[in-house]
Amino acid sequence: MSDYLTISDALDALRDNKITATELVQDAFAAADAVDSELGIYLARFDEQALAAAAEADRIYAAGDPAGALLGIPLGIKDIISTLEGETTAQSLVLDREWGAAIGDAVVTARLRAAGGVITGKLTTMEYATGVPDPTKPFPIPKNPWNTDYWTGGSSSGTGSGVASGAILGGLGTDTGGSIRIPAAFCGISGLKATFGRVPKSGCVPLGYSLDNIGPMARSARDCALMLNVLAGYDASDPCAAEQPVEDYVAGLTGDLSGLTIGLDRLALVYADRDPAIDPAIDAAVKALTALGAKVVDVTLPLWDELSAATRITSRSEAFAYHAPDLQSRWDDYFEATRQGVGAAVAFSGADYVQAQRVRRVGQKALAALFETVDLVITPTSSVAGWSLDELGSMTERFLAMHTGYFNAVGNPALVVPMGFNDIGLPLSLQVVGRPFDETTVLRAGDAFQRVSDFHLAVPPMMSSVAVA
Amino acid sequence: MPTLDSEAIVTGLLAAAQLTVSPQEKATFVKDYPLMRSNADALYLAELEFVEPAVTFDPTVYYPA
């Protein structure tokens, strides 16, 4: 792997002429060359275009005018987000390839590119950002760099494994019920689902219109802040984009949590088969956050079961509205898990969908009341560190182990950061949630925690033998 | 444990949605149906009687300001 694991360190090295953008991108491609056939990171690579963009970045650095906030940084794009260079497939036989071609760059892709980011390629996902792999379909099976018998989590699978393996320094994921946070957690990296509407989602294949988010995945909270600085902000092309002021999220990373009250909900009872390593890791995280100046108090997140169910019902119903014609005519072309997951919407009525939106309203109010007493809420991201690929099958009940969908129902920002490892060496993850549009405080807490811990810098054992540059 | 009712209901729902599924997939839908319904039924909370859904609609969106 490259000597530079984080975007922040790589930018420092680029500015100090310790490495060139071309070398950085070559290192990333070398890491991908070494492991991609095993991990299933990329669906398409843009080597020629990326190296040309890196050469242009080097020219700008040499001219002494490195204006772009991500100038020369190799970044990957989940393949449900459109790019100029290649087709968007949603890792599906079904999606009309003309859809992405007509769009070119999604707003977020254009923003990364304008900031000097080097787009290295399109990364694996679960089909249409939902479900689990289907070995009968002609796409890579994403595997976890920490143990290749295990799943990366989904659906931003290639972004998770790509960052963890050094094949990219950062990338875009999407999150409808946890698809940024779950692969970030399982792959041992950081990932941010910002407030709903914070980042425009036009140019992204929809899953759940009222739940979808595009966001950054990278090794550190600081890197997520760097990327969010570029990604955040209104764009009229997305009817859900919020006209809220954008802060300098990096400037808010003070390392100091003095004066903050953090509510802890261990969610200990929501999934029976809880990994025993979770609670000791939470205890250690609480100790670290307290040492950083925060006061941590126990809380109970209101309407947990109802809001989690509201997300499942909403996402399935909204996805079914999009997919119904193709499910009717091309059932067998879909992944089995997509058929089962999206098709399950037939169990819900129109009234059920509306009722889910009423639950979301009352849930927002209840959570806002909780946030009158705390500044942040922390939970484990998941009750498990992952599943082996052999265990996947039907995910209906396993989704209960993931503590992410609740926050899609209410829209609050949620960052996940690594907080340790279980007894077989799989990463564990802490979720940090804030008030709507208060990504600054969420990122500040994650960054402060990472100033006193190094789980986010751990390298999967399989990468120790991969030397580049 | 799926009931005969679940089987009949799922058969009807899949037909109404014009989805042609394999017997194995149908069995999974039937098995999952009671959980799906209990999830949805649990949302009909008494405290929601006067709550508006979290959806908005702007009739002016395609008109110039």
Side-chain angles (χ1 to χ4, degrees):
Chain A
M1 293 178 72
S2 168
D3 290 339
Y4 304 104
L5 296 174
T6 68
I7 294 172
S8 306
D9 287 349
L11 285 169
D12 288 343
L14 286 164
R15 291 170 186 138
D16 294 341
N17 294 317
K18 292 179 179 170
I19 193 169
T20 67
T22 299
E23 291 167 338
L24 200 59
V25 171
Q26 287 172 335
D27 283 358
F29 281 143
D33 286 341
V35 296
D36 198 12
S37 61
E38 173 125 30
L39 296 182
I41 298 167
Y42 276 105
L43 284 171
R45 265 177 44 179
F46 308 145
D47 292 44
E48 185 179 339
Q49 299 95 326
L51 289 167
E56 175 62 10
D58 286 330
R59 188 193 65 74
I60 296 171
Y61 276 113
D65 183 28
L70 297 170
L71 185 61
I73 299 298
L75 303 168
I77 309 291
K78 181 180 182 179
D79 195 30
I80 65 164
I81 300 167
S82 60
T83 59
L84 280 172
E85 292 93 340
E87 66 180 11
T88 299
T89 72
Q91 198 154 334
S92 176
L93 298 173
V94 178
L95 180 66
D96 181 355
R97 303 312 194 240
E98 293 302 314
W99 175 85
I103 293 171
D105 271 351
V107 172
V108 286
T109 313
R111 287 180 176 178
L112 292 178
R113 205 187 298 279
V118 175
I119 308 301
T120 60
K122 302 298 280 293
L123 306 172
T124 51
T125 170
M126 297 298 100
E127 185 187 38
Y128 280 107
T130 189
V132 296
D134 186 337
T136 70
K137 294 296 189 291
F139 297 103
I141 305 289
K143 296 179 181 173
N144 193 320
W146 291 94
N147 184 330
T148 54
D149 291 334
Y150 278 70
W151 185 37
T152 51
S155 61
S156 306
S157 308
T159 321
S161 60
V163 170
S165 63
I168 48 176
L169 290 186
L172 294 182
T174 65
D175 193 312
T176 305
S179 283
I180 286 173
R181 290 164 287 162
I182 293 164
F186 289 2
C187 293
I189 66 167
S190 305
L192 174 69
K193 181 203 85 66
T195 311
F196 182 74
R198 173 80 293 174
V199 176
K201 55 187 173 54
S202 41
C204 177
V205 180
L207 178 61
Y209 297 99
S210 68
L211 303 164
D212 289 344
N213 299 267
I214 299 174
M217 298 169 69
R219 278 200 170 259
S220 69
R222 183 177 188 82
D223 286 359
C224 289
L226 276 162
M227 290 184 68
L228 188 63
N229 270 359
V230 171
L231 297 169
Y234 177 75
D235 189 279
S237 62
D238 176 5
C240 299
E243 295 189 73
Q244 293 277 336
V246 175
E247 298 176 38
D248 182 340
Y249 301 105
V250 176
L253 306 178
T254 63
D256 182 10
L257 303 184
S258 299
L260 290 184
T261 300
I262 300 177
L264 165 64
D265 190 338
R266 292 176 183 270
L267 300 170
L269 302 177
V270 300
Y271 188 73
D273 194 14
R274 185 178 175 94
D275 192 311
I278 297 276
D279 287 302
I282 287 275
D283 291 340
V286 166
K287 189 174 178 183
L289 294 168
T290 303
L292 288 160
K295 176 185 175 187
V296 180
V297 298
D298 288 325
V299 299
T300 301
L301 287 162
L303 295 167
W304 179 265
D305 290 342
E306 292 84 357
L307 283 163
S308 299
T311 292
R312 292 192 291 273
I313 291 166
T314 302
S315 64
R316 286 182 161 125
S317 299
E318 293 180 350
F320 191 80
Y322 175 89
H323 287 288
D326 285 328
L327 285 169
Q328 290 163 354
S329 62
R330 303 183 62 183
W331 180 260
D332 290 333
D333 284 341
Y334 280 95
F335 282 27
E336 181 181 357
T338 313
R339 300 194 298 254
Q340 208 76 52
V342 179
V346 301
F348 308 125
S349 68
D352 294 337
Y353 177 82
V354 173
Q355 196 66 7
Q357 310 321 305
R358 297 174 83 195
V359 167
R360 292 173 72 180
R361 179 78 75 197
V362 77
Q364 286 179 305
K365 185 177 180 182
L367 187 60
L370 175 61
F371 270 107
E372 288 179 7
T373 65
V374 298
D375 300 292
L376 297 167
V377 170
I378 56 173
T379 76
T381 307
S382 167
S383 283
V384 298
W387 290 286
S388 73
L389 288 159
D390 293 339
E391 289 179 296
L392 291 180
S394 171
M395 292 294 289
T396 303
E397 293 183 14
R398 293 209 175 97
F399 278 123
L400 300 175
M402 303 172 189
H403 310 318
T404 49
Y406 177 100
F407 300 106
N408 295 80
V410 290
N412 294 51
L415 171 76
V416 300
V417 293
M419 66 169 181
F421 295 89
N422 75 355
D423 64 353
I424 60 167
L426 294 174
L428 304 171
S429 178
L430 179 73
Q431 181 169 234
V432 184
V433 183
R435 299 183 180 99
F437 298 104
D438 190 13
E439 284 83 4
T440 296
T441 306
V442 169
L443 288 161
R444 175 151 59 103
D447 171 69
F449 178 65
Q450 290 178 335
R451 293 187 193 201
V452 297
S453 65
D454 59 3
F455 304 117
H456 63 295
L457 299 176
V459 174
M462 74 176 293
M463 299 309 301
S464 61
S465 61
V466 178
V468 295
Chain B
M1 188 72 182
T3 66
L4 285 176
D5 282 344
S6 295
E7 169 97 27
I9 292 167
V10 168
T11 300
L13 289 170
L14 291 171
Q18 301 174 57
L19 299 183
T20 307
V21 311
S22 70
Q24 184 182 16
E25 288 172 324
K26 183 178 173 186
T28 303
F29 280 122
V30 171
K31 177 177 71 68
D32 289 347
Y33 181 74
L35 176 62
M36 299 287 172
R37 277 315 317 164
S38 68
N39 278 187
D41 293 340
L43 301 187
Y44 289 80
L45 304 169
E47 67 204 78
L48 297 184
E49 184 177 5
F50 302 111
V51 174
E52 289 265 341
V55 293
T56 59
F57 178 78
D58 177 1
T60 71
V61 66
Y62 293 116
Y63 292 81

